[in-house]
Amino acid sequence: MKKTLIAAALLLGTVRYAAALPQPHPGNDDPVIMTVAGVDVPRSEFEYSYNKNNTDGVIDKKTVEEYVDLFINYKLKVQAALDEHIDTTKAFQTEFAQYRDQQVKPTFVTDDDMLAEAHKVYDQTVENIGPQGLIRPAHILIMIPQKATDAQKQEAKQRIDSVYQAIQAGADFEELAKKVSQDPGSARNGGVLGWVGQHQLVKEFEDAAFALQPGEMSAPVESPYGWHIILMKERKMLEPFDFHRENILKFLEQRGARERISEQKLDAMVKADSTLTKDAILAHCADSLSAVDAEMRYLIKEYHDGLLLYEVSNRNVWEKASKDEVALDRYFKKNKNKYKWDEPRFKGMAYHVKTQADVKAVADCVKKLKFEDWNEALRKTFNNDSIIRIRVEKGLFKKGDSKLVDQREFKVADVKVDSVKGYPIDATYGKMLKKPETYQDVRGLVIADLQDELERQWVADLRKRYAFTVNEEVLRTVNKHGANE
């Protein structure tokens, strides 16, 4: 019985939240626009996806007809992910639950909850301030050093007395504060401090300050910091709650009050019924929200399916292409003509050493190794301890990438090479290439092209594996149906 009441309360709460959002017209129909792998897709889901991905700011906007194939491919990939049981993995369930909870938890917190929390903050502030209200004092400080000698203490007392006498004789408090006060934070403002309440200042200062009325000035007051002359600028009681309401609410939002309140409510629900868990409550709330709010339903579904799409695409295309060295090599050799360069490249390194002997030693170290193994060999041979013997820049250089390479290898006239402090001798080692030797020379391009090919092959296979149909009549009504359809 208790569980039923909690569930009903959750449902009522989510209905109140959803009622504030745009809702479909009660008389609207939502016909099936397509069926993919045996799953019906309502028109509203297609419209949500199409409209979200074809806003005015999108460069490559699609027509509805053009978007159909993209959407079908998307649905086919999601179905493939489901068939691979990606949705049952711990990693997927954890990440999806985190996102779902981000959308759902705020619905547990009402405006009244936040207002009640704001009143608590205000009431606590009033209590902390106390019956004497707030003061805005100004002061002039002459500091007494810690462990000051008697002479230093006497000097500080003489200085504060001199300042006090000058003010009594007509000197301007603000100008004197700027000139002689040793509190740099307030001195630049003419000695003025911000609004403070009780228990925010050292006792000696506070007792003297709260005894003053606006316009009154104290005689010199000693505190652990030194000597003060205090001028009371203003006093007030804290303004009513409504005056501070918006600022308090903003403060609470910034401090994560909604998250804290929602957690408190969840804890209370679990405590009220030990058979419930937070995850079960949040899942139920997400289902309830989705039942009454299409926007929320498709937002949660979009993230759910997006996680599946990412992982299944990574397995079948992205990571598969980037890590399959044999496939990369094979694709490069088959498509070498795609990777011609407009101008030669220098494949090698530009380096700087301390001694002439190391120029040859560096070249000898790598000359029999694969290019991709150079870095590790150089590090172990020359920079494996606290002494760094060489500075190296390794890569595939085109003209303009390196001044040293431009000068030594491309023979560019009038290139001034910047010296490297502590490494006076410059050198290069490598070879000029008119075209890429291996896929490693154009690895990024080959990976991208192989990914495109794997994507095409995968989509073609999915379209053979799963059946799909499109209702052309419903498709023609996308974004054109009226309220009384």
Side-chain angles (χ1 to χ4, degrees):
M1 180 65 176
K2 187 186 294 182
K3 186 185 293 187
T4 303
L5 290 174
I6 292 173
L10 277 171
L11 181 57
L12 288 172
T14 56
V15 169
R16 284 198 299 272
Y17 172 84
L21 298 170
Q23 298 298 314
H25 190 279
N28 278 359
D29 190 20
D30 195 9
V32 173
I33 195 169
M34 64 179 68
T35 302
V36 182
V39 179
D40 290 339
V41 178
R43 179 177 59 193
S44 60
E45 182 181 351
F46 179 85
E47 285 180 333
Y48 172 86
S49 180
Y50 174 76
N51 293 331
K52 186 167 186 177
N53 290 289
N54 286 275
T55 60
D56 291 337
V58 174
I59 297 174
D60 185 22
K61 290 183 69 173
K62 304 292 184 184
T63 65
V64 171
E65 291 74 16
E66 290 170 335
Y67 193 71
V68 168
D69 276 345
L70 296 176
F71 189 79
I72 290 173
N73 292 345
Y74 165 70
K75 284 292 186 180
L76 291 172
K77 292 173 185 177
V78 171
Q79 186 59 49
L82 292 171
D83 288 347
E84 292 182 30
H85 305 293
I86 292 174
D87 59 321
T88 65
T89 64
K90 183 67 174 176
F92 171 87
Q93 292 175 349
T94 299
E95 187 170 358
F96 172 64
Q98 288 173 348
Y99 177 82
R100 178 203 66 197
D101 296 351
Q102 287 174 7
Q103 310 310 310
V104 171
K105 280 184 178 181
T107 68
F108 285 78
V109 184
T110 65
D111 290 343
D112 287 343
D113 290 329
M114 293 298 289
L115 199 58
E117 198 71 12
H119 273 290
K120 289 181 186 177
V121 171
Y122 178 81
D123 292 344
Q124 185 63 53
T125 303
V126 170
E127 184 178 340
N128 291 341
I129 288 172
Q132 295 198 64
L134 297 164
I135 60 172
R136 187 165 171 261
H139 79 138
I140 295 172
L141 169 66
I142 301 300
M143 296 184 70
I144 299 175
Q146 288 187 350
K147 299 180 181 180
T149 63
D150 290 341
Q152 288 174 314
K153 292 177 182 178
Q154 183 62 32
E155 180 185 359
K157 183 65 169 68
Q158 289 174 350
R159 290 187 65 191
I160 200 71
D161 286 342
S162 173
V163 172
Y164 182 66
Q165 291 167 7
I167 295 172
Q168 286 189 314
D172 185 77
F173 185 97
E174 182 177 334
E175 291 302 316
L176 274 176
K178 289 179 180 179
K179 290 179 181 178
V180 306
S181 179
Q182 294 175 331
D183 174 11
S186 66
R188 66 174 68 97
N189 297 320
V192 179
L193 301 169
W195 287 102
V196 294
Q198 286 182 295
H199 313 303
Q200 291 183 261
L201 305 165
V202 293
K203 186 178 187 308
E204 296 83 355
F205 188 106
E206 180 179 298
D207 289 346
F210 273 95
L212 300 172
Q213 295 302 314
E216 292 181 346
M217 185 180 74
S218 72
V221 177
E222 187 177 12
S223 82
Y225 294 101
W227 287 97
H228 310 260
I229 300 172
I230 306 169
L231 173 66
M232 183 53 59
K233 305 293 288 184
E234 297 179 79
R235 299 187 68 137
K236 68 176 182 179
M237 299 304 294
L238 186 64
E239 296 85 356
F241 171 79
D242 285 343
F243 182 87
H244 294 283
R245 170 177 171 160
E246 294 307 315
N247 283 335
I248 297 174
L249 288 171
K250 184 177 179 181
F251 167 79
L252 288 171
E253 293 284 1
Q254 292 171 342
R255 295 293 291 269
R258 286 185 184 274
E259 175 72 16
R260 176 169 50 79
I261 294 170
S262 66
E263 285 294 331
Q264 289 171 350
K265 289 191 172 186
L266 283 166
D267 289 338
M269 291 175 189
V270 172
K271 187 176 181 180
D273 185 347
S274 59
T275 66
L276 290 175
T277 64
K278 286 186 181 180
D279 188 70
I281 295 170
L282 289 165
H284 172 82
C285 187
D287 290 342
S288 300
L289 275 170
S290 296
V292 296
D293 175 25
E295 188 78 13
M296 177 64 77
R297 176 166 68 252
Y298 293 138
L299 182 64
I300 293 176
K301 182 175 177 57
E302 179 184 26
Y303 195 82
H304 176 276
D305 291 355
L307 284 176
L308 292 175
L309 178 66
Y310 175 84
E311 181 58 32
V312 77
S313 297
N314 205 36
R315 292 184 183 185
N316 289 278
V317 177
W318 304 331
E319 190 174 60
K320 184 177 180 180
S322 64
K323 292 187 175 181
D324 191 337
E325 304 298 328
V326 173
L328 289 168
D329 182 54
R330 183 170 58 246
Y331 187 88
F332 170 75
K333 289 176 179 176
K334 184 179 177 181
N335 300 277
K336 277 188 175 182
N337 289 336
K338 293 177 63 175
Y339 305 108
K340 291 181 179 179
W341 292 325
D342 294 333
E343 58 182 17
R345 303 285 196 272
F346 175 69
K347 185 177 183 178
M349 58 181 167
Y351 60 103
H352 314 274
V353 295
K354 298 174 180 288
T355 67
Q356 191 63 45
D358 273 346
V359 172
K360 185 174 184 302
V362 169
D364 288 343
C365 176
V366 301
K367 66 182 180 181
K368 293 182 180 181
L369 300 177
K370 291 181 179 180
F371 186 66
E372 53 267 29
D373 296 332
W374 286 15
N375 282 344
E376 183 64 13
L378 291 170
R379 185 189 66 79
K380 287 183 177 179
T381 305
F382 298 97
N383 296 339
N384 202 31
D385 52 28
S386 59
I387 300 174
I388 307 299
R389 289 170 57 187
I390 62 172
R391 297 287 185 185
V392 181
E393 183 183 5
K394 168 183 167 285
L396 197 64
F397 300 87
K398 63 180 182 296
K399 193 180 296 183
D401 286 346
S402 164
K403 291 180 179 179
L404 182 54
V405 172
D406 284 352
Q407 181 193 75
R408 299 288 181 89
E409 303 297 334
F410 289 109
K411 309 301 181 185
V412 178
D414 302 323
V415 174
K416 183 179 179 181
V417 176
D418 298 327
S419 60
V420 177
K421 185 177 180 181
Y423 301 85
I425 303 172
D426 305 323
T428 58
Y429 180 80
K431 57 184 173 182
M432 295 295 294
L433 300 179
K434 292 183 178 180
K435 58 184 180 180
E437 279 187 318
T438 73
Y439 73 92
Q440 296 285 9
D441 297 334
V442 281
R443 184 183 180 89
L445 294 174
V446 178
I447 288 175
D449 289 342
L450 180 56
Q451 286 173 340
D452 288 343
E453 182 170 287
L454 290 176
E455 169 84 10
R456 287 191 295 270
Q457 293 172 354
W458 183 39
V459 169
D461 177 65
L462 292 175
R463 284 177 167 255
K464 292 177 182 177
R465 191 191 319 171
Y466 300 108
F468 56 89
T469 58
V470 177
N471 188 325
E472 297 291 343
E473 185 177 344
V474 176
L475 184 64
R476 287 192 288 271
T477 68
V478 170
N479 291 333
K480 296 177 182 177
H481 50 95
N484 296 318
E485 182 185 49

